[in-house]
C-alpha cells in the first residue's frame, strides 16, 4: 500500500471520499439538468447552520447538519413547486438566511470552542470511525435509490410536465431527490467542506456533459471524473501539505478544462 | 381539402365513455377568469383541433384536461371516469411544447428520450424489458427515426426532435394523443411530415387525436372536429359547420379573412 494510505486517518478519508465521490455526481447530474445547480450550495450553507445548532445544543454536529439540511431541502422543494418566488431568488434567500443564522448561533456558542473552519473548508483528519459508518450506510442507501430511480429521474429532469401526465409520482420522486441531495451534502462536509461541497456535485457532471454521447455515458463519466478528483486531490493534499477540499475541487476543474477543450475541438 | 373519413378501427376501449367530457368548466387565476363555462365532448376516433387567438385560454384548457390544473368550477371526465379518480394515464400520450423550449445541451440519445414513454408503464425500480424495447423500436420506426436512435437529441433539427417526442408518446401505447402547439418552430417540410404522421395515426391506428394550435387554416383542413375557444366556448363541431356558422369571425373579429391555398401536403391523400 502506498505510504499515503498507511495512515489510518487517510484511509478513513479515502473510503468516505470515495462514497461521497460516487453519490455526489449521480445526484448532481439531476440537479444540473434541472438547472438547480445552486441547490447544493444552498444546502451546504444550511448544513453549516446545522453544525452551529448541533454545537450549541450539544448534539453531534454532523447529525444536526443532516437534519437541518434535510428540512431545508424539503422546504425549498415545497416552495419551488408552489412557484411563489423564482427558483434562483429562493435559493439566494435560503443561502444567505441560513448563513446569517449560522453566524449568530456561532457567536452565541463562542464559549464552546467551535472549530468552524474545519467545517467550512473540510478536515479529513477529523473523520472518525462513526462518521465512516454513517457515510457508508447513508451513502450506500442514496446510491441504491438513485440507481433504482434512474429512469424516472431522467424523465422528470428532461420533461417534468410530460412525466407527470404519464402518471409518474413526480412530487414524491422530487422529494426523495432533494433528501438524497441533503444527505450527500451533509456527508461530504467533512471531506471537501461546506464551501466546496456544491463543486463536487456539479463540476464532474459539467465535465462529463462536454464529452458524453448518451445519458448513460454522462453518468458513468461524471462518477469516474469525480472519483479521480477525490483520489488525486487526497493524495496531493498529503504530499503537498495543502487542504484536501481545495485540492479535490481543483483536480475536478482541471478535468473540466480538459473535457471543455476536447469538446470545442 | 383532404378526405376525412372515419378511422379504420375505433378504440377497443370505446365502451368506457368518451375520451374527454368537459362540463361547465371554468378556471380562474389570481381572481381573474381565464376560461369560463366551457362544455364539449371528444368522442373516440375524433381528430380534434382546439383553436383560438393568443390568450384565449386554449393551453390552460389542455392543462385542465391533463389534470395539470384543477378547474375552479365544472367537471372533466376522462374515458368515463372523473378526472381526480382517473389512473390510467398511460392511455394518454402527451406531446408537450418541449420541442420549442428544448435544451440542446441535454446529453440524452433519441433512444433514451423515447424510452421515457415506457418509464411509467415499466413501474418504479424496474428495468425496461425486451417487450418495452420492442415497443420503443416500433415507435421510432413509426415516425421514421429508428436509424437515428443513437444520436444526441439536441443535435437534431426541430422537426426531427418533434418526431422523437411523438415516438415517446407512441411508445406508451396510448389510445389518445394530445399535442400542445406541435407546429411552432418547425420548417415547412417538417410541418408536412407532421400532418402525414398524424393522418396515419388517426386513420390507420384509430388513435383519437387532440391538437391545440394557432394555425386556423391547417386545422380547418385536417381535423374532424373543431373546438373554438376565446375564454368561453364559441363553437364545437365539424369544420364545415364552423364555416357555415361564420364562427371564425366571432373568434377572431370582423377583420378576419380565411386565406385558403393549396399546400403540397394537403393535396396528398392519406396513406390508407
Amino acid at each position: 500500500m502506498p505510504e499515503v494510505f498507511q495512515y489510518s486517518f487517510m484511509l478513513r478519508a479515502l473510503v468516505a471520499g470515495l462514497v461521497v465521490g460516487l453519490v455526489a455526481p449521480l445526484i448532481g447530474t439531476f440537479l444540473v439538468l434541472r438547472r438547480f445547480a445552486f441547490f447544493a450550495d444552498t444546502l451546504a450553507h444550511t448544513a453549516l447552520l446545522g453544525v452551529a445548532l448541533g454545537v450549541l445544543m450539544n448534539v453531534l454536529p454532523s447529525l444536526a447538519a443532516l437534519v437541518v439540511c434535510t428540512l431545508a431541502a424539503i422546504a425549498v422543494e415545497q416552495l419551488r413547486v408552489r412557484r411563489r418566488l423564482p427558483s434562483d431568488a429562493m435559493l439566494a434567500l435560503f443561502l444567505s438566511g441560513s448563513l446569517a443564522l449560522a453566524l449568530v448561533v456561532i457567536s452565541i456558542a463562542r464559549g464552546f470552542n467551535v472549530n468552524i473552519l474545519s467545517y467550512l473548508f473540510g478536515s479529513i483528519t477529523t473523520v472518525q470511525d462513526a462518521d465512516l459508518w454513517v457515510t457508508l450506510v447513508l451513502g450506500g442507501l442514496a446510491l441504491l435509490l438513485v440507481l433504482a430511480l434512474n429512469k424516472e429521474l431522467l424523465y422528470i429532469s428532461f420533461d417534468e410536465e410530460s412525466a407527470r401526465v404519464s402518471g409518474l409520482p413526480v412530487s414524491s420522486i422530487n422529494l426523495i431527490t432533494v433528501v438524497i441531495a441533503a444527505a450527500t451534502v451533509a456527508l461530504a462536509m467533512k471531506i471537501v467542506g461546506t464551501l466546496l461541497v456544491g463543486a463536487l456535485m456539479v463540476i464532474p457532471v459539467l465535465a462529463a456533459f462536454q464529452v458524453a454521447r448518451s445519458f448513460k455515458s454522462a453518468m458513468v463519466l461524471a462518477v469516474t471524473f469525480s472519483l479521480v478528483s477525490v483520489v488525486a486531490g487526497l493524495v496531493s493534499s498529503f504530499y503537498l501539505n495543502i487542504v484536501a477540499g481545495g485540492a479535490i475541487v481543483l483536480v475536478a476543474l482541471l478535468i473540466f478544462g480538459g473535457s471543455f477543450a476536447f469538446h470545442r475541438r | 381539402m383532404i378526405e376525412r373519413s372515419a378511422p379504420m378501427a375505433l378504440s377497443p376501449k370505446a365502451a368506457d365513455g368518451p375520451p374527454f367530457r368537459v362540463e361547465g368548466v371554468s378556471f380562474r387565476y389570481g381572481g381573474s377568469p381565464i376560461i369560463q363555462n366551457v362544455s364539449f365532448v371528444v368522442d373516440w376516433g375524433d381528430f380534434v383541433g382546439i383553436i383560438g387567438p393568443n390568450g384565449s385560454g386554449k393551453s390552460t384548457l389542455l392543462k385542465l384536461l391533463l389534470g395539470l390544473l384543477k378547474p375552479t368550477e365544472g367537471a372533466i371526465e376522462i374515458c368515463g371516469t372523473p378526472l381526480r379518480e382517473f389512473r390510467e394515464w398511460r392511455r394518454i400520450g402527451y406531446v408537450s411544447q418541449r420541442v420549442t423550449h428544448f435544451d440542446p445541451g441535454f446529453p440524452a440519445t433519441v433512444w433514451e428520450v423515447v424510452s421515457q414513454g415506457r418509464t411509467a408503464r415499466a413501474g418504479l425500480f424496474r428495468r425496461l424489458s425486451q417487450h418495452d424495447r420492442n415497443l420503443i423500436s416500433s415507435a421510432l420506426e413509426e415516425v421514421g427515426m429508428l436509424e437515428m436512435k443513437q444520436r444526441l437529441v439536441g443535435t437534431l433539427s426541430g422537426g426531427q426532435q418533434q418526431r422523437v417526442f411523438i415516438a415517446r408518446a407512441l411508445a406508451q401505447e396510448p389510445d389518445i394523443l394530445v399535442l400542445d402547439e406541435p407546429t411552432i418552430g418547425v420548417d415547412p417540410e417538417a410541418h408536412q411530415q407532421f400532418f402525414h404522421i398524424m393522418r396515419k395515426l388517426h386513420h390507420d391506428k384509430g388513435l383519437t387525436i387532440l391538437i391545440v394550435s394557432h394555425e386556423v387554416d391547417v386545422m380547418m383542413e385536417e381535423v374532424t372536429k373543431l373546438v373554438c375557444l376565446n375564454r368561453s366556448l364559441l363553437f364545437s363541431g365539424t369544420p364545415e359547420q364552423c364555416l357555415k356558422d361564420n364562427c371564425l369571425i366571432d373568434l377572431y373579429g370582423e377583420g378576419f379573412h380565411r386565406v385558403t391555398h393549396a399546400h403540397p401536403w394537403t393535396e396528398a391523400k392519406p396513406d390508407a
Side-chain angles (χ1 to χ4, degrees):
Chain A
M1 191 183 281
E3 185 199 348
V4 54
F5 297 123
Q6 283 171 9
Y7 294 90
S8 62
F9 78 92
M10 279 308 287
L11 205 56
R12 278 197 297 269
L14 178 74
V15 175
L18 287 177
V19 174
V20 168
L22 203 58
V23 180
L26 286 178
I27 197 73
T29 300
F30 299 106
L31 298 182
V32 171
L33 287 176
R34 294 167 65 181
R35 298 176 180 253
F36 223 38
F38 267 103
F39 185 54
D41 269 313
T42 302
L43 288 185
H45 285 76
T46 63
L48 197 66
L49 172 63
V51 168
L53 286 172
V55 171
L56 186 72
M57 296 189 291
N58 205 17
V59 180
L60 192 68
S62 313
L63 190 69
L66 183 67
V67 172
V68 172
C69 215
T70 306
L71 290 176
I74 293 169
V76 168
E77 175 60 15
Q78 293 302 319
L79 287 172
R80 185 188 74 89
V81 171
R82 292 194 170 88
R83 292 186 187 172
R84 298 291 294 271
L85 280 174
S87 289
D88 55 343
M90 183 183 63
L91 291 182
L93 270 182
F94 266 79
L95 189 147
S96 44
S98 53
L99 189 59
L101 253 177
L103 289 176
V104 169
V105 174
I106 288 163
S107 67
I108 293 169
R110 194 173 285 154
F112 296 93
N113 190 24
V114 195
N115 187 3
I116 213 71
L117 285 184
S118 76
Y119 288 99
L120 274 177
F121 301 115
S123 173
I124 52 170
T125 53
T126 62
V127 177
Q128 303 298 313
D129 280 344
D131 294 318
L132 200 59
W133 282 114
V134 171
T135 305
L136 279 171
V137 171
L138 283 182
L141 201 63
L143 186 66
L144 280 178
L145 272 172
V146 175
L147 293 178
L149 289 171
N150 195 32
K151 68 182 193 317
E152 287 80 7
L153 288 170
L154 170 62
Y155 197 178
I156 295 168
S157 313
F158 190 77
D159 186 353
E160 185 168 326
E161 192 175 84
S162 298
R164 214 176 268 280
V165 173
S166 80
L168 280 184
V170 172
S171 304
S172 311
I173 294 173
N174 280 344
L175 213 55
I176 293 172
T177 311
V178 297
V179 169
I180 296 173
T184 311
V185 166
L187 296 180
M189 210 169 48
K190 279 207 165 172
I191 306 294
V192 285
T194 48
L195 288 181
L196 289 174
V197 84
L200 200 60
M201 293 171 92
V202 171
I203 298 171
V205 174
L206 293 179
F209 282 6
Q210 303 300 314
V211 287
R213 303 297 306 155
S214 67
F215 181 71
K216 201 173 172 184
S217 72
M219 291 199 92
V220 171
L221 279 171
V223 168
T224 309
F225 291 161
S226 165
L227 292 179
V228 168
S229 307
V230 167
V231 175
L234 282 176
V235 171
S236 56
S237 81
F238 179 82
Y239 287 109
L240 303 174
N241 199 21
I242 51 177
V243 67
I248 290 169
V249 174
L250 280 181
V251 175
L253 273 171
L254 275 176
I255 296 172
F256 171 76
S259 69
F260 187 72
F262 179 80
H263 175 66
R264 303 281 291 181
R265 270 194 313 131
Chain B
M1 192 176 284
I2 66 148
E3 186 180 77
R4 281 196 300 252
S5 55
M8 280 167 65
L10 287 179
S11 165
K13 305 283 186 178
D16 289 352
F20 292 106
R21 184 193 295 277
V22 180
E23 273 184 17
V25 164
S26 299
F27 181 76
R28 284 189 193 83
Y29 185 76
S32 45
I34 307 295
I35 58 173
Q36 283 179 300
N37 196 23
V38 170
S39 303
F40 65 93
V41 176
V42 174
D43 289 310
W44 290 107
D46 275 352
F47 185 168
V48 182
I50 299 181
I51 59 168
N54 285 340
S56 60
K58 50 190 192 297
S59 285
T60 303
L61 177 62
L62 194 76
K63 285 188 165 60
L64 289 163
L65 290 178
L66 295 169
L68 294 167
L69 293 173
K70 281 184 192 149
T72 322
E73 283 160 42
I76 296 171
E77 281 182 8
I78 307 181
C79 306
T81 308
L83 196 143
R84 64 179 180 284
E85 292 164 24
F86 185 73
R87 294 290 174 272
E88 292 181 291
W89 288 104
R90 73 97 193 147
R91 296 177 67 184
I92 300 176
Y94 175 47
V95 181
S96 67
Q97 275 193 45
R98 283 292 298 189
V99 73
T100 48
H101 309 292
F102 189 71
D103 176 6
F106 201 108
T109 61
V110 166
W111 179 272
E112 285 169 333
V113 171
V114 178
S115 69
Q116 292 165 5
R118 299 302 303 163
T119 298
R121 292 296 300 276
L124 287 179
F125 307 114
R126 297 227 175 104
R127 297 174 78 89
L128 297 183
S129 65
Q130 187 56 47
H131 175 64
D132 292 319
R133 285 192 285 276
N134 292 344
L135 286 168
I136 295 164
S137 286
S138 323
L140 277 167
E141 208 159 10
E142 189 85 55
V143 300
M145 290 296 290
L146 188 58
E147 281 176 14
M148 297 201 179
K149 65 179 184 182
Q150 297 304 339
R151 288 272 300 273
L152 283 175
V153 72
T155 63
L156 303 177
S157 71
Q160 289 169 328
Q161 285 175 356
Q162 184 198 54
R163 282 191 276 155
V164 171
F165 280 80
I166 295 169
R168 181 177 73 182
L170 294 179
Q172 218 175 298
E173 296 181 289
D175 297 326
I176 309 155
L177 199 57
V178 178
L179 304 101
D180 191 5
E181 295 282 9
T183 48
I184 284 183
V186 298
D187 60 32
E189 195 189 337
H191 197 280
Q192 178 181 348
Q193 278 177 332
F194 169 77
F195 279 105
H196 175 75
I197 292 169
M198 286 304 114
R199 266 180 249 130
K200 209 167 66 166
L201 293 173
H202 176 237
H203 200 275
D204 299 357
K205 298 231 161 193
L207 278 185
T208 302
I209 300 176
L210 198 149
I211 298 182
V212 166
S213 177
H214 63 287
E215 290 189 303
V216 183
D217 285 343
V218 186
M219 284 292 114
M220 294 293 285
E221 286 167 356
E222 295 286 347
V223 301
T224 59
K225 186 183 271 182
L226 269 180
V227 172
C228 303
L229 190 76
N230 196 0
R231 297 192 178 259
S232 59
L233 186 77
L234 297 184
F235 175 81
S236 165
T238 64
E240 291 79 8
Q241 194 61 44
C242 176
L243 281 179
K244 253 187 229 165
D245 294 357
N246 270 338
C247 79
L248 292 181
I249 290 175
D250 296 340
L251 192 60
Y252 292 97
E254 285 294 336
F256 179 82
H257 295 287
R258 183 169 172 250
V259 179
T260 49
H261 54 277
H263 295 285
W265 60 89
T266 56
E267 286 170 347
K269 296 279 181 204
D271 282 359

